[in-house]
């Protein structure tokens, strides 16, 4: 498992977790200031691919020059280099995710989650 610290980019934590997990083929778990990438198969998550995905995400937003991606063992941190401030979007209830405890399916909608859960009990 690899932990990605997002203290310097709190408004980008959720989209970064989704993007990175898609790129490296891992399952994300959101925490308060970070997210964890767990392998889907028996192989470990490649930290090099995670760093590459994070840098690609920052480049897509044209903010890569304001942040550094630093690795210490299984912890990867996105660190602000200068005093660049991200525009904080107003938080809405749609920023919440519902995750299936059986298979890891993730959705933003409670109704979709409830319907998904029913398939495990047929």
């Amino acid at each position: 498992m690899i932990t990605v610290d997002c203290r310097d980019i709190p408004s980008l934590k959720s989209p970064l977790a989704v993007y990175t997990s898609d790129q490296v083929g891992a399952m994300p778990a959101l925490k308060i200031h970070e997210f964890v990438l767990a392998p889907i198969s028996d192989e470990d998550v490649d930290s090099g691919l995670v760093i590459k995905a994070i840098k690609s995400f920052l480049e897509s937003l044209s903010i890569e020059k304001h942040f550094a991606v630093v690795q210490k063992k299984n912890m990867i941190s996105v660190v602000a280099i200068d005093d660049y401030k991200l525009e904080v979007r107003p938080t809405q209830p749609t920023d919440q995710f519902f995750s299936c405890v059986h298979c890891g399916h993730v959705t933003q909608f409670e109704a979709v989650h409830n319907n998904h859960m029913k398939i495990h009990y047929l």
Side-chain angles (χ1 to χ4, degrees):
M1 289 194 314
I2 293 181
T3 303
V4 180
D5 184 2
C6 300
R7 291 179 198 277
D8 290 350
I9 55 168
S11 62
L12 297 178
K13 179 185 70 176
S14 294
L16 178 60
V18 171
Y19 179 82
T20 305
S21 65
D22 284 346
Q23 294 296 312
V24 300
M27 188 178 331
L30 297 174
K31 294 186 174 185
I32 294 175
H33 298 291
E34 57 194 26
F35 63 90
V36 178
L37 295 171
I40 295 174
S41 63
D42 292 336
E43 298 177 13
D44 289 335
V45 177
D46 184 5
S47 61
L49 291 176
V50 173
I51 292 171
K52 184 178 177 182
I54 293 170
K55 287 182 178 181
S56 173
F57 180 80
L58 295 174
E59 286 174 9
S60 72
L61 298 174
S62 301
I63 58 173
E64 73 279 359
K65 63 184 175 187
H66 301 290
F67 296 95
V69 181
V70 180
Q71 179 181 9
K72 291 183 183 175
K73 297 184 181 180
N74 286 339
M75 173 71 84
I76 297 174
S77 301
V78 181
V79 182
I81 297 173
D82 52 18
D83 291 333
Y84 180 77
K85 299 290 182 194
L86 289 172
E87 291 183 20
V88 179
R89 300 177 197 149
T91 56
Q92 299 175 354
T94 58
D95 197 27
Q96 299 174 352
F97 289 94
F98 298 91
S99 178
C100 176
V101 295
H102 302 290
C103 68
H105 176 263
V106 178
T107 182
Q108 292 180 330
F109 306 104
E110 186 175 12
V112 172
H113 173 70
N114 291 339
N115 285 334
H116 170 84
M117 290 298 287
K118 291 176 186 177
I119 67 169
H120 291 291
Y121 299 103
L122 291 177

